[in-house]
Short mmCIF file of all heavy atoms in Angstrom, two decimals:
data_model
loop_
_atom_site.label_atom_id
_atom_site.label_comp_id
_atom_site.label_asym_id
_atom_site.label_seq_id
_atom_site.Cartn_x
_atom_site.Cartn_y
_atom_site.Cartn_z
N ALA V 29 15.89 12.57 -15.14
CA ALA V 29 14.75 12.15 -14.32
C ALA V 29 13.59 13.15 -14.40
O ALA V 29 12.47 12.82 -14.05
CB ALA V 29 15.18 11.97 -12.88
N SER V 34 7.82 14.52 -13.69
CA SER V 34 6.62 15.30 -13.79
C SER V 34 5.42 14.39 -13.98
O SER V 34 4.34 14.64 -13.43
CB SER V 34 6.75 16.33 -14.90
OG SER V 34 6.94 15.64 -16.10
N LEU V 41 -0.24 13.42 -7.31
CA LEU V 41 -1.21 14.43 -6.91
C LEU V 41 -2.60 13.87 -6.96
O LEU V 41 -3.44 14.07 -6.07
CB LEU V 41 -1.10 15.64 -7.83
CG LEU V 41 0.06 16.60 -7.53
CD1 LEU V 41 0.13 17.65 -8.59
CD2 LEU V 41 -0.13 17.21 -6.17
N SER V 61 -17.69 2.23 12.64
CA SER V 61 -16.92 1.96 11.41
C SER V 61 -15.55 2.59 11.51
O SER V 61 -14.55 2.03 11.08
CB SER V 61 -17.62 2.57 10.18
OG SER V 61 -18.97 2.32 10.24
N HIS V 97 -14.16 12.39 33.89
CA HIS V 97 -13.25 13.44 33.45
C HIS V 97 -12.36 12.99 32.30
O HIS V 97 -12.24 13.67 31.30
CB HIS V 97 -12.37 13.79 34.66
CG HIS V 97 -12.52 15.21 35.02
ND1 HIS V 97 -13.66 15.71 35.61
CD2 HIS V 97 -11.67 16.26 34.86
CE1 HIS V 97 -13.48 16.99 35.81
NE2 HIS V 97 -12.28 17.34 35.36
N ASN V 111 -10.00 17.56 13.92
CA ASN V 111 -10.05 18.88 13.24
C ASN V 111 -8.76 19.17 12.51
O ASN V 111 -8.75 19.68 11.40
CB ASN V 111 -10.33 20.00 14.24
CG ASN V 111 -11.78 19.92 14.71
OD1 ASN V 111 -12.62 19.32 14.03
ND2 ASN V 111 -12.06 20.52 15.86
N ALA V 137 8.51 23.45 -14.70
CA ALA V 137 9.32 24.60 -14.28
C ALA V 137 9.43 24.62 -12.75
O ALA V 137 10.51 24.91 -12.20
CB ALA V 137 8.71 25.89 -14.79
N TRP V 202 33.44 21.28 -26.26
CA TRP V 202 33.31 21.98 -24.96
C TRP V 202 32.50 21.17 -23.95
O TRP V 202 31.36 20.80 -24.23
CB TRP V 202 32.69 23.33 -25.18
CG TRP V 202 32.81 24.29 -24.01
CD1 TRP V 202 31.78 24.90 -23.38
CD2 TRP V 202 34.01 24.77 -23.40
NE1 TRP V 202 32.27 25.72 -22.39
CE2 TRP V 202 33.64 25.67 -22.37
CE3 TRP V 202 35.37 24.53 -23.58
CZ2 TRP V 202 34.55 26.31 -21.56
CZ3 TRP V 202 36.29 25.18 -22.76
CH2 TRP V 202 35.89 26.05 -21.76
N PHE V 273 42.42 15.24 -12.85
CA PHE V 273 41.47 16.20 -12.25
C PHE V 273 42.00 16.79 -10.95
O PHE V 273 42.09 18.01 -10.82
CB PHE V 273 40.11 15.53 -12.03
CG PHE V 273 39.32 15.36 -13.29
CD1 PHE V 273 39.57 14.31 -14.14
CD2 PHE V 273 38.33 16.25 -13.63
CE1 PHE V 273 38.84 14.14 -15.31
CE2 PHE V 273 37.58 16.10 -14.80
CZ PHE V 273 37.85 15.05 -15.65
N ILE V 274 42.33 15.91 -10.01
CA ILE V 274 42.78 16.46 -8.72
C ILE V 274 44.10 17.19 -8.92
O ILE V 274 44.28 18.33 -8.46
CB ILE V 274 42.85 15.37 -7.63
CG1 ILE V 274 41.43 14.82 -7.43
CG2 ILE V 274 43.42 15.92 -6.34
CD1 ILE V 274 41.26 13.89 -6.29
N VAL V 288 38.08 28.29 -6.01
CA VAL V 288 37.17 27.32 -6.60
C VAL V 288 37.88 26.02 -6.96
O VAL V 288 37.33 24.92 -6.81
CB VAL V 288 36.43 27.92 -7.84
CG1 VAL V 288 37.41 28.35 -8.93
CG2 VAL V 288 35.46 26.92 -8.44
N PRO V 311 43.29 0.47 -3.03
CA PRO V 311 42.04 0.88 -3.66
C PRO V 311 41.70 0.09 -4.94
O PRO V 311 42.59 -0.42 -5.61
CB PRO V 311 42.29 2.35 -4.00
CG PRO V 311 43.76 2.49 -4.08
CD PRO V 311 44.35 1.49 -3.13
N VAL V 315 35.84 3.52 -9.45
CA VAL V 315 34.81 3.75 -8.43
C VAL V 315 33.64 4.50 -9.07
O VAL V 315 33.86 5.33 -9.96
CB VAL V 315 35.40 4.52 -7.21
CG1 VAL V 315 35.71 5.96 -7.55
CG2 VAL V 315 34.45 4.45 -6.02
N TRP V 325 39.63 -3.57 -13.04
CA TRP V 325 39.53 -3.80 -14.48
C TRP V 325 39.39 -5.31 -14.73
O TRP V 325 40.12 -6.11 -14.12
CB TRP V 325 40.79 -3.31 -15.20
CG TRP V 325 41.12 -1.86 -14.98
CD1 TRP V 325 42.17 -1.37 -14.27
CD2 TRP V 325 40.40 -0.71 -15.48
NE1 TRP V 325 42.16 0.01 -14.30
CE2 TRP V 325 41.08 0.44 -15.03
CE3 TRP V 325 39.25 -0.55 -16.25
CZ2 TRP V 325 40.67 1.74 -15.33
CZ3 TRP V 325 38.84 0.75 -16.55
CH2 TRP V 325 39.53 1.87 -16.09
N PHE V 403 54.49 4.64 -10.33
CA PHE V 403 54.73 4.24 -8.93
C PHE V 403 56.14 4.66 -8.52
O PHE V 403 56.35 5.25 -7.46
CB PHE V 403 54.51 2.74 -8.78
CG PHE V 403 55.11 2.18 -7.52
CD1 PHE V 403 54.61 2.52 -6.25
CD2 PHE V 403 56.22 1.33 -7.57
CE1 PHE V 403 55.20 2.03 -5.09
CE2 PHE V 403 56.80 0.82 -6.41
CZ PHE V 403 56.27 1.17 -5.18
N MET V 417 62.46 15.55 3.12
CA MET V 417 62.33 15.04 4.50
C MET V 417 61.82 13.59 4.51
O MET V 417 62.10 12.85 5.42
CB MET V 417 61.34 15.90 5.29
CG MET V 417 61.67 17.37 5.36
SD MET V 417 63.26 17.69 6.10
CE MET V 417 62.81 17.58 7.82
N ASP V 418 61.08 13.21 3.50
CA ASP V 418 60.46 11.87 3.46
C ASP V 418 61.51 10.86 2.98
O ASP V 418 61.45 10.34 1.86
CB ASP V 418 59.25 11.92 2.52
CG ASP V 418 58.45 10.64 2.52
OD1 ASP V 418 58.88 9.68 3.18
OD2 ASP V 418 57.40 10.60 1.84
N GLY V 473 66.35 12.29 -10.06
CA GLY V 473 66.74 11.60 -8.81
C GLY V 473 68.24 11.53 -8.60
O GLY V 473 68.69 10.99 -7.58
N ALA V 474 68.98 12.05 -9.56
CA ALA V 474 70.46 11.90 -9.47
C ALA V 474 70.98 12.56 -8.19
O ALA V 474 71.72 11.91 -7.42
CB ALA V 474 71.11 12.53 -10.69
N THR V 503 61.84 6.62 -37.59
CA THR V 503 60.51 6.51 -38.21
C THR V 503 60.42 7.47 -39.39
O THR V 503 61.24 8.39 -39.53
CB THR V 503 59.38 6.88 -37.21
OG1 THR V 503 59.41 8.29 -36.98
CG2 THR V 503 59.48 6.12 -35.91
N ASN V 526 50.33 -3.15 -34.42
CA ASN V 526 49.58 -2.46 -33.37
C ASN V 526 50.45 -1.76 -32.33
O ASN V 526 49.98 -1.36 -31.27
CB ASN V 526 48.59 -3.43 -32.69
CG ASN V 526 49.31 -4.51 -31.92
OD1 ASN V 526 50.54 -4.56 -31.91
ND2 ASN V 526 48.55 -5.40 -31.27
N GLY V 575 46.13 11.90 -33.02
CA GLY V 575 47.16 10.86 -33.04
C GLY V 575 47.21 10.25 -34.44
O GLY V 575 46.28 10.40 -35.23
N GLU V 597 50.38 17.93 -20.87
CA GLU V 597 51.79 17.53 -20.73
C GLU V 597 52.65 17.88 -21.94
O GLU V 597 53.63 18.60 -21.82
CB GLU V 597 51.87 16.00 -20.52
CG GLU V 597 51.16 15.51 -19.29
CD GLU V 597 51.46 14.05 -19.05
OE1 GLU V 597 52.59 13.76 -18.66
OE2 GLU V 597 50.58 13.20 -19.26
N THR V 598 52.27 17.34 -23.11
CA THR V 598 53.16 17.44 -24.27
C THR V 598 53.47 18.90 -24.57
O THR V 598 54.64 19.29 -24.70
CB THR V 598 52.49 16.75 -25.48
OG1 THR V 598 52.00 15.48 -25.05
CG2 THR V 598 53.48 16.55 -26.63
N ASP V 609 64.74 28.85 -17.03
CA ASP V 609 64.61 27.89 -15.91
C ASP V 609 63.90 28.49 -14.68
O ASP V 609 63.48 27.75 -13.79
CB ASP V 609 66.00 27.44 -15.45
CG ASP V 609 66.69 26.58 -16.49
OD1 ASP V 609 66.07 26.33 -17.55
OD2 ASP V 609 67.83 26.14 -16.25
N VAL V 618 57.22 20.34 -7.94
CA VAL V 618 57.33 18.95 -8.38
C VAL V 618 56.14 18.69 -9.30
O VAL V 618 55.00 18.99 -8.94
CB VAL V 618 57.32 17.98 -7.18
CG1 VAL V 618 57.62 16.57 -7.66
CG2 VAL V 618 58.36 18.41 -6.15
#
Side-chain angles (χ1 to χ4, degrees):
S34 60
L41 281 174
S61 317
H97 240 72
N111 287 341
W202 194 237
F273 284 80
I274 297 189
V288 60
V315 70
W325 303 111
F403 163 67
M417 303 300 279
D418 186 355
T503 70
N526 66 359
E597 299 189 72
T598 313
D609 291 359
V618 187

